[in-house]
Amino acid sequence: MPRQKQEGPTRQLYAAIREDLYLAAKARSTELRIPLREFLERAIELALDGESRPVPAQQRRERTVWNDEYISMQAEQPVGSPVELTDEEARALARDAFGNH
């Protein structure tokens, strides 16, 4: 299926976003049978029109051990960097990773 020709000037957008947001957006754009680019443009338009209400950060994310600031910092380190976790943190990560709460 050929892409629609873009009308008017455009800008290339690069961003590092949470993987769960990307996967949810990709899944929803697939359900709607529209390109991810178009889905994101629609979302931005809705936000700018004021139809989208900001959600507090506590409500935006599920409460998981992955939201811990210290663990997030370690997860951002290059592959092969040492990770220092307590036994309790390691167990909590394993439970969250494998869906066993």
Side-chain angles (χ1 to χ4, degrees):
M1 180 163 124
R3 289 186 180 184
Q4 282 184 307
K5 178 93 168 110
Q6 289 285 331
E7 298 288 325
T10 62
R11 293 283 177 129
Q12 192 81 30
L13 178 68
Y14 294 94
I17 62 170
R18 291 188 346 241
E19 186 175 22
D20 61 334
L21 286 177
Y22 168 79
L23 294 174
K26 184 67 176 161
R28 184 70 177 131
S29 71
T30 302
E31 288 173 11
L32 296 172
R33 297 181 186 271
I34 61 173
L36 183 57
R37 176 198 50 78
E38 185 177 336
F39 178 82
L40 294 174
E41 285 178 350
R42 288 181 185 182
I44 292 169
E45 287 173 354
L46 285 172
L48 292 174
D49 288 341
E51 293 179 26
S52 176
R53 304 232 176 350
V55 178
Q58 294 95 3
Q59 292 176 0
R60 243 189 317 228
R61 297 184 197 167
E62 293 177 20
R63 186 81 177 121
T64 72
V65 71
W66 296 103
N67 294 339
D68 181 273
E69 183 179 346
Y70 177 71
I71 292 172
S72 294
M73 269 186 350
Q74 291 199 53
E76 295 296 321
Q77 297 300 313
V79 174
S81 298
V83 176
E84 298 175 13
L85 300 172
T86 65
D87 287 343
E88 185 179 312
E89 288 171 330
R91 281 189 215 99
L93 281 174
R95 280 193 301 271
D96 272 8
F98 296 105
N100 189 7
H101 304 279

